Amino acid sequence: MRIVQINGGAKGSTGKIMMGIAEVARAQGHEVLCASPITSTNRDAGADCGYYRIGTYNSRRMNVALARITGYNGCFAWIETHKLLKEIDKFHPDIIHLHNLHDSYINLPMLFSYIKKHDIPVVWTLHDCWSFTGQCPYFTMVKCDEWKTGCHDCPQYKEYPSSLYDNTKMMWRLKKKWFTGVKNMTIVTPSKWLAGLVKESYLRDYPVQVINNGIDLNVFKPAEWGGGVTTNT
């Protein structure tokens, strides 16, 4: 099987998950192409490990700036996305595995138009709630439920991914348009809590699978301590 993975980074929590999946898949005989935007933490991830850098440092800065000025996150990076889609075409994947798509490194309408046109099976692992809100990755602290019917008057629009203007109403509508209508897409969440939120969002029609994040059982395991059971780290 030929697998493409796309994520906001090759390092850190979600980056490690993406690269770990790639390592296991390759060990089982699959071919994997991992793609993420170029950042200072990604500079040592090279083509020898099946890694594709999206854009340049300067284009990354420009796209982030445009998104923050306008509030339209994921509406720029045209050239970078065009090049990535050409690379995906050459790779000819059997499946596309999406991870974090926020913070302006990829053009979302171009990506999802490509997926719908080519009818490529998709797995989208959600690491937060950004995929079904107008902007924010999390909303529990501000106790907001507007994402269920349509974001507006966002109390967090200046937070990550920050914006100078509150365009969450339009972004919610655009993301709903882009992200719905994929013929063959499965949503994966690391918790039942997040799966439940997905079923209350505009992504509710997709099948949802809960796959908990793995842990190293050689490090984290039950141990007797002080008359009770704790973890040995």
Side-chain angles (χ1 to χ4, degrees):
M1 181 179 291
R2 300 173 68 82
I3 305 166
V4 165
Q5 292 195 94
I6 303 174
N7 185 46
K11 299 293 182 68
S13 58
T14 61
K16 288 181 179 178
I17 290 171
M18 177 180 73
M19 300 303 268
I21 290 172
E23 183 179 356
V24 172
R26 292 189 186 105
Q28 296 177 353
H30 304 293
E31 295 183 57
V32 187
L33 174 68
C34 295
S36 67
I38 186 168
T39 67
S40 58
T41 58
N42 292 348
R43 64 177 62 192
D44 59 345
D48 57 332
C49 63
Y51 175 66
Y52 175 84
R53 293 186 181 94
I54 301 172
T56 64
Y57 286 110
N58 288 335
S59 68
R60 171 79 170 139
R61 294 189 189 100
M62 180 182 68
N63 292 322
V64 169
L66 287 170
R68 290 177 180 172
I69 292 169
T70 64
Y72 291 113
N73 196 293
C75 296
F76 303 101
W78 302 285
I79 296 174
E80 297 83 352
T81 305
H82 175 70
K83 291 180 178 178
L84 170 63
L85 296 179
K86 286 183 66 176
E87 194 70 22
I88 292 174
D89 254 347
K90 289 192 296 183
F91 190 74
H92 196 64
D94 298 298
I95 191 168
I96 295 178
H97 187 176
L98 305 175
H99 294 272
N100 281 349
L101 298 179
H102 41 69
D103 209 19
S104 317
Y105 70 90
I106 195 166
N107 186 286
L108 297 171
M110 287 176 66
L111 173 64
F112 277 84
S113 177
Y114 177 89
I115 288 170
K116 292 172 183 178
K117 177 181 178 181
H118 294 273
D119 196 20
I120 302 172
V122 174
V123 171
W124 193 355
T125 297
L126 306 187
H127 302 283
D128 53 42
C129 307
W130 176 89
S131 60
F132 50 86
T133 72
Q135 178 168 325
C136 68
Y138 296 103
F139 38 74
T140 50
M141 289 292 289
V142 294
K143 300 178 181 179
C144 179
D145 287 330
E146 299 297 341
W147 55 273
K148 295 180 181 179
T149 55
C151 291
H152 60 86
D153 301 317
C154 179
Q156 300 189 112
Y157 74 90
K158 293 184 179 180
E159 305 298 327
Y160 175 87
S162 64
S163 172
L164 297 179
Y165 300 98
D166 180 3
N167 273 330
T168 54
K169 183 176 182 179
M170 178 58 71
M171 280 303 303
W172 187 91
R173 293 177 177 176
L174 288 173
K175 288 164 77 172
K176 179 181 179 181
K177 177 183 177 182
W178 300 333
F179 300 161
T180 57
V182 180
K183 291 182 180 179
N184 188 353
M185 183 163 76
T186 298
I187 303 291
V188 172
T189 67
S191 68
K192 293 181 180 179
W193 170 78
L194 186 52
L197 295 180
V198 171
K199 286 302 182 182
E200 295 184 79
S201 75
Y202 52 65
L203 300 176
R204 65 176 64 91
D205 291 334
Y206 293 116
V208 180
Q209 297 289 329
V210 177
I211 302 177
N212 302 121
N213 290 334
I215 60 173
D216 187 345
L217 295 178
N218 293 317
V219 178
F220 301 97
K221 53 189 174 183
E224 294 291 338
W225 181 79
V229 176
T230 184
T231 54
N232 183 20
T233 60

